Amino acid sequence: MSTLSLVEPTTRLRQAWRQAHAEWGPGLHEDGFGLLPSDDVETDPGFAAWIARLTGEELVSYRSIVEGEQVLGGIALRHAGHEHAEWAGHIGFGIRPSARGRGVATWAVRCMLDEARTLGLHRVLLVCEAGNVASAKTIEKAGGVLERAEHVRRYWLDT
């Protein structure tokens, strides 16, 4: 995985991102990309506006997980004080189906822990649905310690 990198949102990856998006299928389930129902990512102006919104966020750092010129997924770090961090977690991620099972998400989570540390976060919360075994395994491999598991599993990771 030496060719993996985390890339700030950019219009340069527009086509690669759209390919990843198409692989997920319809809906807004690509965690880590900050995609809202109102975002128009199909047109070039809409995609550029979405990128501008993401890069303008003050309390969230978004990154695309890239291998070569292919977008494998996305990851987001909600900073201290973000209103959703307590229930949605500090870090959210999603990996396109064809890239799953390779350790890509674990690698990306560990990289974002470094960024969280630089922001002064000593530990971060990650959550996943109770039945999402793949995400739970990813978080545990990255060092997550389970706080509780009811409808969602809540994990804390030291930075």
Side-chain angles (χ1 to χ4, degrees), residues 8 17 20 40 43 50 52 74 118-119 124 132 139 142 148:
E8 290 187 23
W17 187 89
D40 166 24
T43 67
W50 173 63
T118 66
L119 293 172
V124 293
N132 189 338
I139 297 166
R148 71 174 184 256

Side-chain angles (χ1 to χ4, degrees), residues 92-158:
F93 58 88
I95 304 298
R96 71 191 287 176
S98 63
R100 293 177 184 162
R102 296 178 35 203
V104 172
T106 303
W107 172 84
V109 168
R110 288 178 177 150
C111 289
M112 290 306 269
L113 291 176
D114 292 339
E115 187 163 337
R117 187 180 317 108
T118 66
L119 293 172
L121 293 169
H122 301 291
R123 67 182 196 149
V124 293
L125 175 67
L126 278 81
V127 301
C128 65
E129 294 293 325
N132 189 338
V133 175
S135 287
K137 285 182 179 180
T138 294
I139 297 166
E140 290 166 5
K141 285 180 187 174
V145 176
L146 184 64
E147 176 188 66
R148 71 174 184 256
E150 293 164 1
H151 300 292
V152 297
R153 298 175 67 88
R154 293 174 52 92
Y155 292 90
W156 287 98
L157 285 82
D158 292 330

Side-chain angles (χ1 to χ4, degrees), residues 66-96:
V66 176
E67 183 175 48
E69 289 298 312
Q70 185 180 27
V71 174
L72 302 183
I75 190 163
L77 170 64
R78 294 175 190 93
H79 304 190
H82 190 280
E83 62 184 338
H84 296 163
E86 270 304 306
W87 62 268
H90 291 98
I91 297 177
F93 58 88
I95 304 298
R96 71 191 287 176

Side-chain angles (χ1 to χ4, degrees), residues 15-89:
Q15 288 310 107
W17 187 89
R18 285 181 178 151
Q19 289 170 354
H21 182 63
E23 189 175 311
W24 259 291
L28 301 173
H29 42 74
E30 296 101 323
D31 292 336
F33 281 116
L35 194 58
L36 299 175
S38 58
D39 290 321
D40 166 24
V41 293
E42 299 304 321
T43 67
D44 290 347
F47 192 90
W50 173 63
I51 294 295
R53 181 178 63 76
L54 295 182
T55 57
E57 288 268 353
E58 291 184 21
L59 294 177
V60 184
S61 299
Y62 292 99
R63 302 288 182 268
S64 291
I65 305 165
V66 176
E67 183 175 48
E69 289 298 312
Q70 185 180 27
V71 174
L72 302 183
I75 190 163
L77 170 64
R78 294 175 190 93
H79 304 190
H82 190 280
E83 62 184 338
H84 296 163
E86 270 304 306
W87 62 268

